Amino acid sequence: MNPFQKNESKETLFSPVSTEEVPPRPPSPPKKPPPKICGSNYPLSIAFIVVNEFCERFSYYGMKAVLTLYFLYFLHWSEDTSTSVYHAFSSLCYFTPILGAAIADSWLGKFKVLSLVGLSLIALGTGGIKPCVAAFGGDQFEEKHAEERTRYFSVFYLSINAGSLISTFITPMLRGDVQCFGEDCYALAFGVPGLLMVIALVVFAMGSKMYKKPPPEGNIVAQVFKCIWFALSNRFKNRSGDIPTRQHWLDWAAEKYPKQLIMDVKALTRVLFLYIPLPMFWALLDQQGSRWTLQATKMNGNLGLFVLQPDQMQVLNPFLVLVFIPLFDLAIYRLISKCGINFSSLRKMAVGMILACLAFAVAAAVEIKINGMAPPQPGPQEIFLQVLNLADDEVKVTVLGNENNSLLVESIKSFQKIPHYSKLHLKTKSQDFYFHLKYHNSSVYTEHSVEEKNWYSLIIREDGKHISSMMVKDVEGKTTNGMTAVRFINTLHKDVNISVGTDISLSVGEDYGVSAYRTVQRGEYPAVHCRTEDKDFSLNLGLLDFGASYLFVITNSTSQGLQAWKMEDIPANKMSIAWQLPQYALVTAGEVMFSVTGLEFSYSQAPSSMKSVLQAAWLLTVAVGNIIVLVVAQFSGLVQWAEFILFSCLLLAVCLIFSIMGYYYVPVKPEDMQGPADKQIPHIQGDMINLETKKTRL
């Protein structure tokens, strides 16, 4: 006989029999309401949670602000590797909340995870903090204060971005304006966020006695998986057509699991199904710290009143969040409501996706413009060559190929600034070129080897009445960190030691010695200290601008004395960093509509026993989004503007899918999440019978 076959039953209920009356229980004393903020409906404990979140987010975003450039310039990784590791780290930070949520809901509770695990160990602590802190703040409100709880999530997001705003502005300054061991001070840039984590722990502990701490409700994550597995396996075992179907596939778990758990899992799976398209939005949003920062390194950060470092441009996002949240809550959403438009949470999230699509379309347009203004790059079997005449008079230069054919003929005056490089074609990957130099009445033939895809300078120097030449390899292109590259040629007969900035020094050999390139911060350098074995002097280098490469020739003329002749090998970045403002404004508006709304939506749709689990699932979509960026960065092989277009089109397609899914989604009201209380007859002491319901199978 099939155990799940429908059977008729007869229930016999026995009434309790008692020989004496049970004395009534004394009424429990009313609960003391938690202290409020200035007579409002906001619990005072919220203040500690928000301040804690500010400090923790200062630490997290401050560290992330300099992370990409740390990989690129301190560890000397490539752009793609730096981007991949950045997003791998971000993904790990958003994967660990699943573990944190399981511990919070099943073992320690949200308060203990947040204080003991989350703030003690930053690496794993991210998983302890993220799924708990938002839900823990929501737990402080009573159900009758749902409107205040909704506004709390906006204030909570404001605290996140206030911490991010300050940290993303300060930590790049600590990195770039302070020198440690002759390089950017990454130790200080990482140390200050670490100190803020200590402050976060202290502030959070101070409010311990005020918190409303819901107890853990058992290993809810394990229960959810077991319930789903039992429902699927039970349905598979009873797939015969003779067995009546059930309203929902999770109802097949009713033989083993309580009705309330099944209802909670139903609510959970409905929301999780909506989460499937969400990672693509995060794939775009989180590129502000990687691809967009790398884009900023190719732009000019001089805004007139102040100068922005490339990694400081990220400060726009939290700043605009602080502006947009009250603007949207107090103006835009209310105006839309007065127009009679039902702007639901899911519709807000869909519009947020569209704005992110537009942001990346703008980023692609900016990237195309940057590429158009950048100097061309030599291709296969090509080189770029410039000739620097450091002799006292004009020199005629003829470049000869292997077959003695003239490839380039130029007459170059003494210390003439060549406006551009000349392109020469090679027959193989490496080739020897012959140079005919005509100076006054003498001719010199010389030979130099070159390799494809490189930039070269042919330096002509004078030694008495004769001239000679040397070939040096130039920087391959613009500096990718927005800094300035400089090198020196020393025409003096003594070695020169040059100090550029506080901790950057280099030595240039005598008699036309050529130094290596050094990168320095953008700025004015009116008096750079130089020293020979018997003399100290200063050189005026002028403005060293973003992304440029300069060659300085140290000369000693009888009329002007020691000076530096300045040659711009690679021009400075011409496109202002302000052109990134539209894409930041669009993606931030999208973030406010998507992320803030989604945070509150996740909490409102979560069963009371699974709020941290659903918050962790929300954060898990961020992790998956970062993995998408990692995969595309490593394997797409696209140029940057095409990669931006790819992400924009993918999110647009995902937005369409999400809109269709949201159209059929019916939001759950809080009162609908609680099933009817199971009717239980209490165990009665004394002579009363311990009653159970008896079922007789016919």
Side-chain angles (χ1 to χ4, degrees):
M1 180 177 180
N2 195 310
F4 299 108
Q5 186 175 345
K6 185 176 180 181
N7 297 305
E8 295 181 357
S9 64
K10 180 179 180 180
E11 297 187 357
T12 306
L13 299 180
F14 297 89
S15 299
V17 179
S18 177
T19 57
E20 59 183 38
E21 295 184 358
V22 179
R25 295 181 179 178
S28 58
K31 288 185 177 180
K32 183 180 179 181
K36 307 291 185 180
I37 300 177
C38 300
S40 66
N41 291 326
Y42 293 93
L44 183 59
S45 56
I46 290 299
F48 294 93
I49 296 175
V50 170
V51 173
N52 161 79
E53 183 65 7
F54 167 84
C55 295
E56 191 271 335
R57 292 291 88 184
F58 182 104
S59 173
Y60 178 75
Y61 286 108
M63 179 268 298
K64 283 188 69 176
V66 298
L67 197 58
T68 299
L69 298 188
Y70 172 75
F71 292 151
L72 196 62
Y73 309 125
F74 191 81
L75 300 181
H76 305 293
W77 293 349
S78 67
E79 288 190 7
D80 285 343
T81 301
S82 300
T83 299
S84 299
V85 175
Y86 175 90
H87 287 284
F89 168 76
S90 299
S91 179
L92 181 62
C93 288
Y94 286 95
F95 264 123
T96 50
I98 293 293
L99 177 62
I103 298 174
D105 279 339
S106 61
W107 180 29
L108 295 178
K110 299 182 186 73
F111 169 74
K112 291 183 179 179
V113 170
L114 199 59
S115 58
L116 299 181
V117 178
L119 299 176
S120 300
L121 303 172
I122 295 178
L124 294 178
T126 301
I129 295 170
K130 286 182 180 294
C132 302
V133 64
F136 186 61
D139 289 340
Q140 307 304 305
F141 292 88
E142 302 174 41
E143 285 299 327
K144 61 183 179 181
H145 298 145
E147 183 178 351
E148 286 82 359
R149 185 179 62 199
T150 300
R151 290 182 179 175
Y152 152 74
F153 284 105
S154 293
V155 175
F156 175 81
Y157 211 78
L158 281 172
S159 71
I160 292 176
N161 286 275
S164 176
L165 171 67
I166 299 174
S167 64
T168 51
F169 187 78
I170 290 179
T171 50
M173 294 175 61
L174 298 177
R175 170 193 62 80
D177 296 348
V178 180
Q179 296 290 318
C180 298
F181 311 107
E183 296 181 341
D184 287 350
C185 196
Y186 288 100
L188 186 62
F190 290 138
V192 171
L195 177 62
L196 264 292
M197 284 301 299
V198 177
I199 297 175
L201 174 61
V202 173
V203 171
F204 186 75
M206 287 171 60
S208 174
K209 295 183 179 180
M210 302 181 190
Y211 297 141
K212 179 182 177 183
K213 307 171 188 175
E217 303 183 20
N219 194 341
I220 192 66
V221 175
Q223 291 182 38
V224 168
F225 281 107
K226 289 179 179 178
C227 180
I228 293 175
W229 176 254
F230 182 81
L232 293 174
S233 59
N234 195 16
R235 179 67 184 93
F236 180 77
K237 293 176 182 177
N238 298 275
R239 60 187 182 277
S240 172
D242 299 334
I243 301 175
T245 59
R246 302 188 183 183
Q247 186 176 6
H248 193 278
W249 62 273
L250 278 168
D251 291 334
W252 287 93
E255 282 79 8
K256 186 175 181 181
Y257 292 95
K259 183 177 181 181
Q260 186 60 51
L261 176 63
I262 295 175
M263 291 179 61
D264 289 351
V265 176
K266 286 181 182 179
L268 181 69
T269 53
R270 290 175 71 248
V271 180
L272 291 181
F273 179 71
L274 271 183
Y275 281 4
I276 293 175
L278 303 190
M280 186 52 66
F281 176 85
W282 301 112
L284 274 69
L285 184 68
D286 278 4
Q287 291 188 55
Q288 296 174 76
S290 57
R291 290 303 199 195
W292 284 16
T293 297
L294 294 174
Q295 184 185 68
T297 64
K298 297 178 283 188
M299 307 178 77
N300 195 313
N302 184 12
L303 299 179
L305 297 177
F306 53 90
V307 177
L308 279 180
Q309 297 296 327
D311 43 357
Q312 281 182 315
M313 196 61 184
Q314 300 174 58
V315 79
L316 267 179
N317 175 254
F319 173 76
L320 291 175
V321 166
L322 297 177
V323 174
F324 285 169
I325 285 181
L327 176 64
F328 277 70
D329 283 347
L330 302 178
I332 296 178
Y333 290 158
R334 293 187 179 184
L335 180 62
I336 293 175
S337 178
K338 287 184 179 180
C339 293
I341 301 174
N342 179 21
F343 205 33
S344 64
S345 297
L346 297 179
R347 290 179 179 176
K348 292 177 185 176
M349 294 171 69
V351 173
M353 289 182 177
I354 295 174
L355 291 175
C357 292
L358 295 176
F360 265 66
V362 173
V366 170
E367 189 71 21
I368 292 172
K369 187 66 175 177
I370 291 173
N371 293 342
M373 301 175 72
Q377 297 294 319
Q381 296 187 5
E382 290 180 349
I383 66 163
F384 285 167
L385 175 70
Q386 69 172 353
V387 181
L388 302 180
N389 180 13
L390 305 184
D392 291 337
D393 206 348
E394 181 177 321
V395 176
K396 183 179 180 181
V397 180
T398 304
V399 183
L400 303 174
N402 289 336
E403 300 176 355
N404 243 9
N405 55 320
S406 297
L407 302 178
L408 176 68
V409 179
E410 282 186 318
S411 292
I412 304 171
K413 296 179 180 179
S414 177
F415 285 87
Q416 178 182 342
K417 294 185 178 181
I418 306 299
H420 56 80
Y421 282 77
S422 299
K423 181 190 294 186
L424 297 179
H425 295 275
L426 312 181
K427 292 187 175 180
T428 57
K429 292 184 178 181
S430 62
Q431 183 176 327
D432 293 337
F433 280 117
Y434 299 92
F435 297 87
H436 177 212
L437 310 177
K438 189 173 183 181
Y439 178 65
H440 293 168
N441 296 324
S442 62
S443 294
V444 176
Y445 287 88
T446 184
E447 178 183 354
H448 296 289
S449 298
V450 295
E451 295 180 353
E452 65 175 0
K453 300 181 180 180
N454 284 312
W455 305 62
Y456 291 95
S457 290
L458 179 69
I459 300 173
I460 301 173
R461 60 184 183 179
E462 183 179 9
D463 184 11
K465 296 182 180 180
H466 303 285
I467 61 172
S468 60
S469 66
M470 59 181 179
M471 184 79 78
V472 295
K473 185 182 292 187
D474 296 346
V475 65
E476 296 180 358
K478 285 183 174 294
T479 55
T480 54
N481 56 355
M483 298 180 72
T484 300
V486 295
R487 68 173 174 176
F488 294 84
I489 297 178
N490 177 23
T491 65
L492 307 181
H493 299 299
K494 298 178 181 179
D495 294 348
V496 178
N497 292 316
I498 305 171
S499 298
V500 185
T502 55
D503 294 318
I504 300 176
S505 62
L506 61 156
S507 179
V508 193
E510 63 184 6
D511 295 329
Y512 294 91
V514 182
S515 72
Y517 278 102
R518 293 298 299 268
T519 55
V520 297
Q521 293 286 345
R522 181 262 183 199
E524 293 279 353
Y525 292 83
V528 173
H529 180 261
C530 302
R531 179 171 52 86
T532 62
E533 60 183 12
D534 58 357
K535 185 177 182 180
D536 288 2
F537 59 95
S538 296
L539 294 176
N540 180 12
L541 305 186
L543 173 64
L544 305 183
D545 213 348
F546 285 104
S549 295
Y550 297 97
L551 170 67
F552 293 95
V553 181
I554 304 174
T555 61
N556 188 8
S557 64
T558 54
S559 59
Q560 298 180 347
L562 291 166
Q563 62 177 357
W565 179 71
K566 185 178 182 180
M567 179 75 177
E568 190 179 65
D569 291 340
I570 303 294
N573 300 339
K574 293 184 175 65
M575 192 166 186
S576 173
I577 203 171
W579 283 102
Q580 280 195 322
L581 180 60
Q583 65 198 58
Y584 271 97
L586 284 169
V587 82
T588 305
E591 178 186 2
V592 169
M593 300 189 73
F594 182 92
S595 186
V596 178
T597 305
L599 197 65
E600 193 276 333
F601 176 80
S602 296
Y603 186 89
S604 66
Q605 298 298 294
S608 59
S609 62
M610 301 184 190
K611 294 192 182 296
S612 287
V613 174
L614 200 55
Q615 291 289 325
W618 169 262
L619 297 171
L620 185 62
T621 64
V622 184
V624 177
N626 279 273
I627 291 178
I628 294 173
V629 181
L630 188 156
V631 172
V632 172
Q634 285 293 320
F635 302 109
S636 70
L638 298 173
V639 294
Q640 192 55 66
W641 68 265
E643 186 178 293
F644 286 155
I645 293 294
L646 172 64
F647 277 111
S648 182
C649 294
L650 287 175
L651 182 58
L652 188 61
V654 166
C655 178
L656 178 61
I657 297 172
F658 178 77
S659 300
I660 296 173
M661 295 168 63
Y663 179 79
Y664 292 100
Y665 180 83
V666 180
V668 179
K669 298 179 181 178
E671 58 269 20
D672 296 337
M673 292 187 188
Q674 301 296 331
D678 294 333
K679 295 181 180 180
Q680 296 180 349
I681 302 176
H683 299 278
I684 304 177
Q685 303 295 328
D687 295 334
M688 298 188 65
I689 299 174
N690 189 1
L691 185 65
E692 293 181 355
T693 301
K694 304 294 184 181
K695 294 186 178 181
T696 304
R697 178 173 297 172
L698 298 181

